[in-house]
Amino acid sequence: MPTADQPRIAVLLPCFNEEAAIGATVEGFRRTLPNATVYVYDNNSADRTCEVAAAAGAIVRNEKQQGKGHVVRRMFADVDADIYVMADGDLTYDPSAAPAMVDQLLAHQLDMVVGTRRHQQAQAYRGGHVLGNRLFTGILSRLFGRTFSDVFSGYRVFSRRFVKSFPVLSSGFEIETEMSVHALELKMPVGEVETAYAARLEGSHSKLSTYGDGWRILKTIINLYRVERPVLFFGLIGLLLFIAALIIAEPLIETYARTGLVPRFPTAILVTGMTIVAVLCFFTGLILDTVTRGRREVRRLAYLSHPAPGA
């Protein structure tokens, strides 16, 4: 148990049908973080995940709404600690890396440390996932100015002020993207630690869908960009509409300059409508930017209401 001088550490393991690996995962974190409390949040498993986790020494709780995002929302709301270590329950992440991640968070008073995955086994990471990770990492970097080496890593260490200021909105595996954007938008101090990433144990099966989850993640990035960068998002739409209107209007302008007449009234009406919509998009972005700044200030105040880790 932690003493008065030691931070309270909670290990959070969201699980769905991980009977084959959850026991070894719990034991690994209890061994490397002996003062931590290990929580397993079961998400409607049909196997013996709960029984195996409890036998290994974890506190087992349940979340009935299906999806990793729902589980993370429940974990962050229920568990009270100073430092939170989150990993998957399939033993693909190395528990022995957790102390180094916790030490980095405390030493530098960071709010999130991401365990960037080092693939030592070919079967641990599908080629499509590697390509998708690089693609979406590049997109986040372009849209938000900076990013992480492994934006989809589920192995992370958080400060209390990150967890208690994070309004979880996602429902599925896109939760890692939302976490990354939350840290980037509030300009939190963050770090990375390279960790080994192993293949699943025999009998353990991945819940990821390369194309289905990839599409959901892309929609999440676009939606977060719309919410966090409304001037640029709606301004770009307005600019494209205005350029299209100019292209369509070019023959009308040429005819009017030559004859003083506007013979194509439907085209003229279309151009006028597109121009009006373009201007509305621009002002919509300006109005929503004010709303976004207010929301960001509220989140920042919630973030600052908690002490820095190690302070």
Side-chain angles (χ1 to χ4, degrees), residues 164-181:
K164 298 306 180 183
S165 69
F166 179 43
V168 184
L169 302 177
S170 301
S171 60
F173 285 104
E174 65 272 23
I175 183 66
E176 281 87 6
T177 305
E178 189 182 356
M179 289 176 179
S180 300
V181 172

Side-chain angles (χ1 to χ4, degrees), residues 8-14 29 32-33 36-39 75-76 79 81-88 93-95 97-99 101-103 105 113 154-159 163:
R8 296 169 299 163
I9 302 176
V11 178
L12 308 178
L13 303 174
F29 280 105
T32 58
L33 295 172
T37 303
V38 181
Y39 296 86
M75 292 191 302
F76 283 6
V79 178
D82 299 311
I83 297 173
Y84 299 78
V85 180
M86 189 178 78
D88 293 338
Y93 295 109
D94 182 12
M101 295 170 68
V102 171
D103 289 344
L105 184 129
V113 175
Y155 198 6
R156 303 181 184 226
V157 176
F158 306 100
S159 67
V163 167

Side-chain angles (χ1 to χ4, degrees), residues 91-235:
L91 203 59
T92 52
Y93 295 109
D94 182 12
S96 66
M101 295 170 68
V102 171
D103 289 344
Q104 183 179 112
L105 184 129
L106 288 172
H108 301 284
Q109 292 189 323
L110 304 178
D111 288 304
M112 180 169 67
V113 175
V114 179
T116 58
R117 291 169 286 186
R118 181 178 69 251
H119 314 123
Q120 297 178 321
Q121 302 176 23
Q123 64 270 34
Y125 210 28
R126 284 178 274 180
H129 291 178
V130 175
L131 178 62
N133 196 350
R134 291 175 179 172
L135 175 64
F136 287 123
T137 297
I139 291 174
L140 275 182
S141 178
R142 288 297 186 95
L143 296 182
F144 294 98
R146 61 190 180 112
T147 186
F148 302 92
S149 302
D150 187 0
V151 72
F152 296 139
S153 174
Y155 198 6
R156 303 181 184 226
V157 176
F158 306 100
S159 67
R160 176 181 176 84
R161 63 183 184 181
F162 180 101
V163 167
K164 298 306 180 183
S165 69
F166 179 43
V168 184
L169 302 177
S170 301
S171 60
F173 285 104
E174 65 272 23
I175 183 66
E176 281 87 6
T177 305
E178 189 182 356
M179 289 176 179
S180 300
V181 172
H182 178 67
L184 296 176
E185 281 301 288
L186 292 190
K187 296 179 174 55
M188 295 180 180
V190 297
E192 294 181 312
V193 171
E194 190 176 72
T195 65
Y197 188 67
R200 283 174 168 267
L201 298 180
E202 184 177 354
S204 177
H205 304 286
S206 175
K207 289 49 172 205
L208 290 172
S209 168
T210 301
Y211 299 106
D213 288 319
W215 173 240
R216 292 182 65 178
I217 291 167
L218 179 59
K219 289 193 297 182
T220 298
I221 291 175
I222 294 173
N223 188 50
L224 287 171
Y225 189 69
R226 175 184 61 82
V227 171
E228 301 295 343
R229 298 286 195 275
V231 171
L232 294 176
F233 182 85
F234 289 100

